[in-house]
Amino acid sequence: MDELMLTEEGREELARIKESNNGLADGETFAGCTSTVVLITRNEVYCANAGDSRTVLANRGAAKDLSIDHKPDDPHELARIQNSGNFV
């Protein structure tokens, strides 16, 4: 995305995408977000995430997942989204 913004052609393409509204009705959006945060104290590690993001701890060359992705293709996540009146 950053590279696309560097050229006039890229900025024009992004403007066309924005103006087209991607076939959505007025007021509809595919907006979303993703975030992950970690708090490390002397004795504990706290981790939280939202969206399609994952926090991983590297320990002596091995990776340990600290969070679970909130992906819409996960049946539980899909149900949560749909039960809140939204769609994927």
Side-chain angles (χ1 to χ4, degrees):
M1 182 64 72
D2 289 341
E3 292 174 8
L4 190 60
M5 295 290 295
L6 293 177
T7 66
E8 183 63 29
E9 182 180 339
R11 287 188 294 274
E12 289 172 1
E13 176 65 17
L14 289 173
R16 280 192 296 278
I17 292 169
K18 181 180 176 184
E19 290 170 7
S20 75
N21 206 26
N22 294 316
L24 298 174
D26 286 341
E28 289 184 325
T29 179
F30 282 123
C33 70
T34 183
S35 177
T36 183
V37 63
V38 174
L39 172 65
I40 302 172
T41 71
R42 278 185 186 253
N43 302 317
E44 298 177 295
V45 176
Y46 297 93
C47 174
N49 73 304
D52 185 7
S53 61
R54 178 179 306 170
T55 304
V56 178
L57 173 69
N59 184 11
R60 297 185 177 127
K64 176 171 177 49
D65 289 342
L66 296 183
S67 65
I68 299 170
D69 300 5
H70 297 172
K71 292 188 173 199
D73 58 353
D74 176 330
H76 297 289
E77 184 66 8
L78 179 59
R80 185 193 67 78
I81 293 166
Q82 292 172 334
N83 290 337
S84 69
N86 293 295
F87 66 95
V88 176

